[in-house]
Amino acid sequence: MSQGRIPKQVLTRRRFLQAAALAGLSLAGCGAPGGGAQPTLPPASLTATVEAKGVSVSTPIAGKTNVTWWTHNNPAFVAANKEMIRRFEQANSNIHIVYQYFPYDVFIRKLQAGYRSGTVADMQQMFGTWVTDYAKNGLLEPVPPDIAGSMEDRFWPAALGAYKWEGKYYGMPNEYNLENGGMLANPKLFQEANIKAYPQTWAELISDAQRLTKRDQKGKIQQVGFAFTNNDSITFLFLSMILQQGATYWAKDGVHVDFSTEAAKKAWADETALVTKYKVDSEQAYTGDSYEIFFRGKAGMAMRGPWVIAVAKEQFPQFKFDYVPMPPYAGTEPKFAAESGWGEVVNAKAKPEIKEAAWKFIEFIHQPENLRDWNILTFTIPSLKELKDDKKILQNAPQMKTSFEVLQYGQWVGPVQDRDRFWQYVHDAFTSVELGKMSPEDALKDAEKKINAMIDEHVGP
């Protein structure tokens, strides 16, 4: 949460997933913004105090190879997981998946404590950003060579990135988790502003956003032109603006960030100008997330990933909106960075026969005819290249076409270490510029310094 302003609830895909589970949403999916860094593993002394609340879908069956599987309790994910189990066991009668799911926060603690104490399940559905750390610590089993050999051909690089450590893969992603490429647009407000078409260039986006922005007599924003000042979008937009200039935000060592390049400084100046010069959004204009102000009819455009379409269907079913391509900031290719999303991993300490059965189940899920339906049920973008523009997926969610069009331009965000702190440092710097507390140049230097210090905490200077 940014400092020095009216508190705005930060809704990441992780928080949405948690909220959806608590509310018992019946979404036909909701790719739950995403993950983020987990807290440091708790001391062993805390293991026994971890909550064990969860739902056991099945129990071991004598005479079969029983493979335990833990996931979070988002209703759409649970429904999709149960369907995969049903299909797999029908085709493999000698293997039984002992499935248990937990409230999101409990699930995180169960993973940490379970690996600490050796009581974790044989398989877990893990967010990609977490996989690397678990793999580094020798806790995950590498993907068998006969499966791993084709993974780079089968999966999108952005979806696969965090599952790789020192040349080996440690799991298989189910989804392509992206926040870029598309945006919400309110056709009613465009019509009222006499704007005939959605923006095709960055200059048009700014111009349209200015025309869509409305203020009261005191100058306070009453209608936002382009809502993007949420924790995810501020950072993802910044990184994409660097990439679209043909540059990178990583230093030459590939470990630390470098925001001192001309591309980074230009991207930052132009992004912060959206609130300081063009004033098409403001962190002080509203509470809640960018998508919420949009679905209250108070924003002409809003930057959010395709998961928000499922939110609209569930929470705002009568609201008329479009999900359209977001114009690139520079060049013609809408390059962007993405975290690796949810997928399956295997406990390195499981028995050999259990590992073999677990990978058989995981490979089964990732067959196109199965993963297609998993993605439909969870309203997530498929990790498999083969499912791009899949007719069945688009029949169920036609607005996903916008996201499908940009998948080839995505790259894995990279080894950010502590995702939450990385994003928060960028967000805090942005807020400091908007509030006039720091210049764009100083704020960017400060963000770089804090991020690199955080990285050093994890990997050393």
Side-chain angles (χ1 to χ4, degrees):
M1 184 178 294
S2 296
Q3 305 300 314
R5 61 181 173 83
I6 300 171
K8 180 183 291 189
Q9 177 65 37
V10 175
L11 185 78
T12 62
R13 289 190 63 199
R14 177 181 57 194
R15 286 184 180 272
F16 174 69
L17 184 151
Q18 180 183 6
L22 291 172
L25 296 183
S26 58
L27 301 180
C30 52
Q38 292 191 55
T40 304
L41 290 175
S45 61
L46 296 182
T47 298
T49 68
V50 174
E51 293 180 69
K53 297 177 182 177
V55 175
S56 295
V57 176
S58 55
T59 56
I61 297 177
K64 294 193 176 189
T65 301
N66 292 286
V67 182
T68 55
W69 188 26
W70 287 356
T71 77
H72 56 76
N73 70 338
N74 176 271
F77 278 59
V78 169
N81 294 338
K82 286 181 178 179
E83 175 60 17
M84 294 301 102
I85 291 171
R86 185 192 67 79
R87 294 182 186 184
F88 177 77
E89 292 187 346
Q90 191 173 56
N92 298 272
S93 58
N94 62 319
I95 301 174
H96 177 53
I97 306 301
V98 183
Y99 181 36
Q100 191 174 16
Y101 57 86
F102 304 87
Y104 187 86
D105 288 343
V106 175
F107 175 59
I108 291 177
R109 294 195 295 272
K110 288 283 288 185
L111 285 177
Q112 296 167 342
Y115 273 112
R116 179 79 68 178
S117 64
T119 58
V120 75
D122 303 316
M123 297 185 299
Q124 306 97 49
Q125 197 163 82
M126 190 178 284
F127 193 72
T129 300
W130 310 338
V131 172
T132 312
D133 279 341
Y134 280 92
K136 286 179 184 177
N137 287 288
L139 300 173
L140 303 181
E141 181 72 7
V143 178
D146 61 321
I147 300 176
S150 63
M151 286 180 64
E152 291 186 10
D153 292 330
R154 296 172 61 194
F155 295 95
W156 292 104
L160 202 55
Y163 287 82
K164 191 174 186 178
W165 170 247
E166 294 189 336
K168 294 182 179 181
Y169 289 105
Y170 287 87
M172 298 180 73
N174 297 351
E175 61 161 341
Y176 191 133
N177 174 29
L178 70 160
E179 286 289 333
N180 296 74
M183 64 180 183
L184 297 161
N186 186 324
K188 179 176 179 290
L189 297 186
F190 269 78
Q191 184 177 18
E192 290 175 357
N194 198 31
I195 302 174
K196 305 298 183 182
Y198 294 130
Q200 301 297 307
T201 66
W202 185 257
E204 288 178 357
L205 184 146
I206 293 174
S207 176
D208 290 353
Q210 288 180 298
R211 292 172 65 180
L212 289 162
T213 303
K214 293 183 178 179
R215 293 177 173 80
D216 61 18
Q217 293 181 343
K218 296 182 179 180
K220 183 178 180 181
I221 294 180
Q222 299 298 302
Q223 179 175 295
V224 175
F226 176 59
F228 74 100
T229 56
N230 60 75
N231 200 54
D232 276 346
S233 296
I234 288 172
T235 298
F236 278 119
L237 179 57
F238 174 52
L239 300 183
S240 71
M241 292 167 76
I242 296 173
L243 294 174
Q244 288 168 20
Q245 296 177 74
T248 179
Y249 44 87
W250 291 108
K252 291 181 180 179
D253 64 5
V255 175
H256 297 87
V257 297
D258 182 2
F259 295 160
S260 67
T261 64
E262 291 304 312
K265 290 187 284 189
K266 184 178 188 302
W268 184 250
D270 288 344
E271 182 179 15
T272 55
L274 292 173
V275 295
T276 60
K277 178 180 179 180
Y278 302 111
K279 300 182 185 299
V280 297
D281 193 9
S282 171
E283 294 197 86
Q284 301 177 78
Y286 53 93
T287 58
D289 190 85
S290 302
Y291 87 87
E292 293 176 307
I293 192 72
F294 178 86
F295 288 121
R296 291 202 296 267
K298 297 296 183 180
M301 297 176 284
M303 179 181 171
R304 262 322 199 175
W307 60 271
V308 79
I309 300 170
V311 179
K313 290 185 175 182
E314 178 68 25
Q315 299 182 17
F316 310 96
Q318 303 304 316
F319 194 90
K320 304 297 183 183
F321 71 97
D322 293 319
Y323 193 73
V324 301
M326 183 171 163
Y329 163 72
T332 59
E333 297 181 344
K335 297 177 181 177
F336 63 93
E339 294 180 273
S340 300
W342 292 97
E344 268 60 56
V345 298
V346 174
N347 178 7
K349 293 185 178 180
K351 295 179 180 179
E353 66 273 17
I354 299 297
K355 293 177 184 177
E356 181 179 355
W359 286 119
K360 188 172 185 179
F361 175 60
I362 293 170
E363 175 64 1
F364 180 87
I365 293 175
H366 290 85
Q367 294 305 305
E369 64 274 14
N370 293 321
L371 193 59
R372 170 195 292 117
D373 291 342
W374 192 94
N375 291 129
I376 288 172
L377 286 169
T378 58
F379 208 94
T380 52
I381 301 294
S383 57
L384 286 176
K385 296 177 182 178
E386 184 177 342
L387 293 177
K388 181 181 183 293
D389 296 326
D390 182 82
K391 291 182 179 179
K392 187 175 179 181
I393 293 176
L394 290 175
Q395 285 174 354
N396 283 272
Q399 288 167 312
M400 279 191 175
K401 180 69 174 177
T402 293
S403 295
F404 279 171
E405 292 300 317
V406 302
L407 298 184
Q408 65 268 35
Y409 300 113
Q411 66 177 54
W412 177 47
V413 69
V416 296
Q417 305 304 331
D418 188 325
R419 189 270 194 202
D420 289 347
R421 289 170 66 188
F422 188 112
W423 263 242
Q424 194 62 57
Y425 291 144
V426 175
H427 192 165
D428 289 345
F430 183 92
T431 303
S432 295
V433 175
E434 181 181 1
L435 295 179
K437 293 183 175 181
M438 298 181 76
S439 67
E441 296 81 6
D442 289 343
L444 188 59
K445 290 178 182 177
D446 187 60
E448 180 191 272
K449 180 180 178 181
K450 289 178 178 177
I451 290 171
N452 283 335
M454 173 272 292
I455 290 173
D456 286 343
E457 291 175 20
H458 287 263
V459 302

